[in-house]
Amino acid sequence: MPKVGRREQILEKASQLFRTKGYHATTIRDISEASGILSGSLYAHIKSKEDLLFEITDRGAEMFLRSLRSVVMSEEDPVTKLRNALVAHIRVITDNLEAATVFFHEWKALTEERRRIIQQKRDEYEAMWARLLSEGEEKGRFRLVDPKFARLLILSAANGLYQWYHPEGELSPEEVADRFADILLSGFTESEGGEKDESR
Amino acid sequence: MPKVGRREQILEKASQLFRTKGYHATTIRDISEASGILSGSLYAHIKSKEDLLFEITDRGAEMFLRSLRSVVMSEEDPVTKLRNALVAHIRVITDNLEAATVFFHEWKALTEERRRIIQQKRDEYEAMWARLLSEGEEKGRFRLVDPKFARLLILSAANGLYQWYHPEGELSPEEVADRFADILLSGFTESEGGEKDESR
DNA sequence: CCTACCGATCGGTAGG
DNA sequence: CCTACCGATCGGTAGG
């Protein structure tokens, strides 16, 4: 008899294993053992190993989209929006290190149809960042020599977080976002020193 | 009878497959098929599948180390060194996209002993970057609120390159490095606009 | 959720 | 470098 919440527990164990060993190196027996059941019994809860990967990856994508949407839709100044978008992005990663790692590292292991679904959500996310930057450009708050390049640099740097951020380390997510924004902003805002937002 | 250069060809095919499918998803039969021989014959050239991964990864590590060493040992100004280090890093990636991707993405699939060897070389590489940045700080050319953070941000952004750079795209490696340096430098050099190096 | 199992495929080897 | 294999393990299923 399936226990309530068992499926969530399996997803969590799978996330941890996919993160540390990678999807292909993680076996159904690894996951079932970590979940305290036998491998055959796993299929009372899931349909396939790939279903697990897709569900973890898709949830990750939705978390990024949801958190950025609320920032983009706000009426804040572009500089503040950039700061808030960074905080949001970093928070998703730091609050969901396993899922975020799987999202960044293992999504290519999905079969084509589902990989396309994730790819679309990634594109949508990048498009939201592009709009945020171009809005800052239009309002004269950023000077971007190459907006596409700036976006790729920001997201590359932000996505690299999952590889070195340790929750038990010295920096809180907000501190990470602040330092990040300070380096970036004084890089492409007019004012010297980068307009630190003291109001938060 | 082993053909001369066959081993190099196998390494190249393996790099391509590891890059697109990942190490664990690539089978010995994939590699041998791509190399035009049968799976059993592969073992006339290699000892194991993991040997291939290690050799590709280790060569990647050595390329990064070699190219950065020559920059660090030069007598240039720290700002020029930073630019040159970025060019060097990006050149290694763009000139060796397959090996670089495998180096960044698949090194964790190595067994412990060899993973430690690669980890050491990664540490050495990061230490060279740290020295480069602290030298700029000491000479008053950079103002780094958090040097460790700056280093992690730079390397994260630079390492992300392999995920979006296409050799047939618009930007040459030098252009990528320049835009990169411009955003970074005007972020943490005193002078406004970022001291673009016109002498190159 | 367990027992018992299956076909397929894996990395790798022996002998030539 | 081929032929011919092998033991181990994989994801997944049938029946309870």
Side-chain angles (χ1 to χ4, degrees), chain B residues 140-184:
Chain B
R141 306 292 273 134
F142 307 147
R143 49 176 168 82
L144 301 171
V145 178
D146 184 340
K148 188 182 167 195
F149 185 85
R151 171 174 53 87
L152 288 168
L153 186 142
I154 291 176
L155 284 177
S156 292
N159 291 349
L161 263 176
Y162 76 87
Q163 290 180 342
W164 59 264
Y165 185 80
H166 299 290
E168 66 282 3
E170 304 161 9
L171 296 179
S172 72
E174 278 74 19
E175 284 169 328
V176 169
D178 269 350
R179 275 156 214 236
F180 200 148
D182 285 341
I183 292 181
L184 287 179

Side-chain angles (χ1 to χ4, degrees), chain A residues 137-152:
Chain A
E137 180 96 75
E138 285 158 21
K139 296 192 177 174
R141 306 293 273 135
F142 307 146
R143 50 174 168 86
L144 303 171
V145 177
D146 184 339
K148 188 183 167 194
F149 185 85
R151 171 174 53 89
L152 288 169

Side-chain angles (χ1 to χ4, degrees), chain B:
Chain B
M1 193 75 44
K3 242 173 65 179
V4 187
R6 219 348 160 353
R7 199 183 146 79
E8 285 305 316
Q9 187 201 349
I10 291 168
L11 277 165
E12 201 176 317
K13 297 293 183 188
S15 298
Q16 288 166 11
L17 286 162
F18 290 169
R19 185 196 176 197
T20 46
K21 306 181 64 167
Y23 173 72
H24 281 111
T26 301
T27 69
I28 283 293
R29 283 158 183 86
D30 290 334
I31 299 169
S32 49
E33 194 182 336
S35 304
I37 52 180
L38 292 183
S39 68
S41 311
L42 207 66
Y43 290 87
H45 304 281
I46 65 168
K47 287 216 309 264
S48 73
K49 186 186 169 190
E50 202 212 339
D51 275 12
L52 280 173
L53 178 62
F54 178 71
E55 195 155 333
I56 294 166
T57 312
D58 192 57
R59 285 187 187 189
E62 288 298 336
M63 284 190 290
F64 280 107
L65 286 172
R66 216 179 308 128
S67 72
L68 186 55
R69 260 188 218 114
S70 67
V71 172
V72 168
M73 306 220 296
S74 73
E75 297 294 324
E76 302 282 359
D77 175 86
V79 174
T80 308
K81 271 195 192 174
L82 177 64
R83 266 186 203 285
N84 291 346
L86 283 171
V87 174
H89 183 98
I90 291 165
R91 267 222 162 277
V92 172
I93 292 179
T94 53
D95 290 349
N96 311 273
L97 257 188
E98 274 100 15
T101 304
V102 174
F103 174 67
F104 288 124
H105 231 91
E106 304 293 335
W107 68 288
K108 286 197 174 178
L110 290 167
T111 47
E112 203 181 323
E113 193 184 354
R114 295 167 133 183
R115 196 172 59 236
R116 254 204 304 271
I117 296 173
I118 300 298
Q119 179 66 60
Q120 272 175 16
K121 298 192 177 181
R122 296 176 84 94
D123 291 346
E124 190 184 341
Y125 189 70
E126 293 199 13
M128 288 170 72
W129 271 95
R131 250 177 283 136
L132 192 154
L133 291 176
S134 66
E135 186 193 328
E137 179 96 74
E138 286 158 20
K139 297 193 176 174
R141 306 292 273 134
F142 307 147
R143 49 176 168 82
L144 301 171
V145 178
D146 184 340
K148 188 182 167 195
F149 185 85
R151 171 174 53 87
L152 288 168
L153 186 142
I154 291 176
L155 284 177
S156 292
N159 291 349
L161 263 176
Y162 76 87
Q163 290 180 342
W164 59 264
Y165 185 80
H166 299 290
E168 66 282 3
E170 304 161 9
L171 296 179
S172 72
E174 278 74 19
E175 284 169 328
V176 169
D178 269 350
R179 275 156 214 236
F180 200 148
D182 285 341
I183 292 181
L184 287 179
L185 279 173
S186 46
F188 52 66
T189 54
E190 303 283 344
S191 78
E192 126 179 315
E195 310 195 24
K196 188 153 180 170
D197 179 10
E198 302 291 337
S199 65
R200 92 200 110 78

Side-chain angles (χ1 to χ4, degrees), chain A residues 20-81:
Chain A
T20 46
K21 306 181 63 168
Y23 173 72
H24 281 112
T26 301
T27 69
I28 282 293
R29 283 159 183 84
D30 290 334
I31 299 169
S32 49
E33 194 182 334
S35 304
I37 53 180
L38 293 183
S39 67
S41 311
L42 207 66
Y43 290 86
H45 303 282
I46 64 167
K47 287 216 305 263
S48 73
K49 186 186 171 191
E50 202 213 338
D51 275 13
L52 280 173
L53 178 62
F54 178 70
E55 195 155 334
I56 294 166
T57 313
D58 191 58
R59 284 187 187 189
E62 288 297 337
M63 285 190 290
F64 280 107
L65 286 172
R66 217 179 306 130
S67 72
L68 187 55
R69 260 188 219 115
S70 67
V71 171
V72 169
M73 305 222 296
S74 73
E75 298 293 323
E76 302 282 358
D77 175 86
V79 175
T80 308
K81 269 194 192 176

